[in-house]
Amino acid sequence: MMKEMISVVVVTYNQAATIGRTLNSILIQRCHVPFEIVIGEDCSTDNTRAICQAYADQHPSTIRLICNERNKGIVDNYYDCLLACRGKYIADCAGDDFWIDPLKLEKEVTVMENHPEVSMVITNWQYYNEQTRGTTSSRQQQYAPITPGHDLLRAIITQQNMSVFHLCTALYRADIFRKAYEDDTDLFRNKTYVSEDMQIAFTMALNGDIAYLPYVTLNYSLGSGSVSNVTDSEKAFRFVSRSTELICYLANKHDLDIQDFMTQRIFELGMHAFRSYQPSLYEETLACEQKWQVRRSFKNTCLFAVMRHDWLWRAGLALRSVFVRLKQAVR
């Protein structure tokens, strides 16, 4: 094992159109520290595996291709790849995203080498539209060059200031991840949480400082679809509900006060239930409010009063439809 090596994880499933672009963006990295690419190919039904195999054949000393015999899903695929990493540092890039700075790893590992107290380095990133091939700013919050990790714990789990981080821009210490994984494996493997990146970022902030480099190093792909980008109200309800379970777990375990955020989260759940016009989701919202011990706000009280009566609920939906049409007409 090369102790100073960087391991770059790429998990992919049915991304034949983009996986080559992702791998190319990693292979062009210019870094004084050697790196490997660990690909987790999750039984794609398109040509993704053949493309990955071709890259592995062309770069046998750099790429390790892990071909799953069955579809594991993103959580198990991702963490199995992390555990297979040989490097002292870990980075990752999703199979539909791509790095745009050939010195990304070089800049980040230099910070790591000069600042042993830093557990993770993050950079800026931008959105990439697959249809237009245009980019837009992520409007990520700017940070000090180095910030104590504990100062970011609430921001990481609530993400109220846009996106605090994008893990595909990060480089972090493998030993910290492995220790946290051994101590609380369920935190990372629990499928209820529908997340694999928040746990990593929180763990790094809990165990060190976070360094920020003001460079745009990543194009985050829009248009290919993801679990965190859902439009159906019921699906959105499920995603918000399950991701909030993780937030509550971390907040309770580390005694973080996020009551205001949780009140807003209940309202978000309630609005998804309202738009779906499903009484069962309304009941689930009330159950979540009780389970998470969330104080009821005036806004939530008004929303629940509407949903308590079918005629009022239907009237609210009709009124909302009018507002939506008016808004579209103004555009």
Side-chain angles (χ1 to χ4, degrees), residues 5 12 17 21 48 61 67 78 98 101 105 131 164 172 179 181 185 191-192 209 212 242-243 261 282 285 291 309 312:
M5 184 167 64
T12 184
R21 181 182 65 188
T48 299
S61 62
C67 293
Y78 181 64
F98 58 104
D101 184 349
L105 293 179
Q131 281 69 48
V164 176
Y172 56 92
K179 176 64 165 58
Y181 183 89
T185 301
K191 306 299 191 304
T192 302
D209 295 341
Y212 168 73
R242 293 170 67 185
S243 62
F261 168 80
Y282 164 59
T285 302
K291 177 173 63 174
H309 305 283
L312 197 54

Side-chain angles (χ1 to χ4, degrees), residues 15 96 130 220-230:
Q15 293 171 325
D96 55 352
E130 291 287 354
Y220 172 58
S221 175
L222 294 177
S224 55
S226 71
V227 69
S228 58
N229 184 25
V230 291

Side-chain angles (χ1 to χ4, degrees), residues 89-188:
Y89 309 107
I90 297 176
D92 69 47
C93 190
D96 55 352
D97 301 333
F98 58 104
W99 293 342
I100 58 174
D101 184 349
L103 295 177
K104 172 195 181 292
L105 293 179
E106 174 68 15
K107 294 171 181 175
E108 292 177 329
V109 77
T110 299
V111 174
M112 289 288 204
E113 290 176 329
N114 292 330
H115 297 276
E117 76 280 7
V118 168
S119 56
M120 182 170 73
V121 183
I122 60 174
T123 76
N124 214 326
W125 53 280
Q126 62 190 8
Y127 295 105
Y128 178 80
N129 188 301
E130 291 287 354
Q131 281 69 48
T132 66
R133 299 186 181 180
T135 59
T136 54
S137 171
S138 66
R139 297 184 181 179
Q140 179 179 354
Q141 182 174 341
Q142 307 297 300
Y143 291 97
I146 296 179
T147 302
H150 279 253
D151 292 351
L152 296 175
L153 293 178
R154 287 183 180 82
I156 287 172
I157 62 174
T158 62
Q159 296 195 24
Q160 288 177 304
N161 298 318
M162 297 299 290
S163 183
V164 176
F165 65 93
H166 195 308
L167 201 64
C168 288
T169 74
L171 183 72
Y172 56 92
R173 298 187 186 275
D175 60 340
I176 293 178
F177 160 70
R178 290 181 182 278
K179 176 64 165 58
Y181 183 89
E182 292 172 2
D183 290 345
D184 189 356
T185 301
D186 189 62
L187 169 62
F188 300 93

Side-chain angles (χ1 to χ4, degrees), residues 15-143:
Q15 293 171 325
T18 58
I19 188 62
R21 181 182 65 188
T22 299
L23 295 175
N24 287 336
S25 76
I26 301 169
L27 289 167
I28 65 171
Q29 290 293 305
R30 302 195 299 271
C31 186
H32 75 278
V33 175
F35 63 88
E36 66 169 354
I37 303 174
V38 180
I39 304 175
E41 203 295 304
D42 204 19
C43 280
S44 297
T45 59
D46 63 4
N47 203 38
T48 299
R49 178 164 296 190
I51 295 172
C52 291
Q53 188 62 63
Y55 272 85
D57 292 342
Q58 293 170 13
H59 306 275
S61 62
T62 301
I63 295 178
R64 285 195 292 135
L65 175 59
I66 301 174
C67 293
N68 297 332
E69 296 181 359
R70 58 176 179 80
N71 181 269
K72 296 179 178 180
I74 188 170
V75 172
D76 283 341
N77 190 27
Y78 181 64
Y79 286 117
D80 285 348
C81 285
L82 289 187
L83 294 174
C85 289
R86 298 169 178 166
K88 179 178 180 180
Y89 309 107
I90 297 176
D92 69 47
C93 190
D96 55 352
D97 301 333
F98 58 104
W99 293 342
I100 58 174
D101 184 349
L103 295 177
K104 172 195 181 292
L105 293 179
E106 174 68 15
K107 294 171 181 175
E108 292 177 329
V109 77
T110 299
V111 174
M112 289 288 204
E113 290 176 329
N114 292 330
H115 297 276
E117 76 280 7
V118 168
S119 56
M120 182 170 73
V121 183
I122 60 174
T123 76
N124 214 326
W125 53 280
Q126 62 190 8
Y127 295 105
Y128 178 80
N129 188 301
E130 291 287 354
Q131 281 69 48
T132 66
R133 299 186 181 180
T135 59
T136 54
S137 171
S138 66
R139 297 184 181 179
Q140 179 179 354
Q141 182 174 341
Q142 307 297 300
Y143 291 97

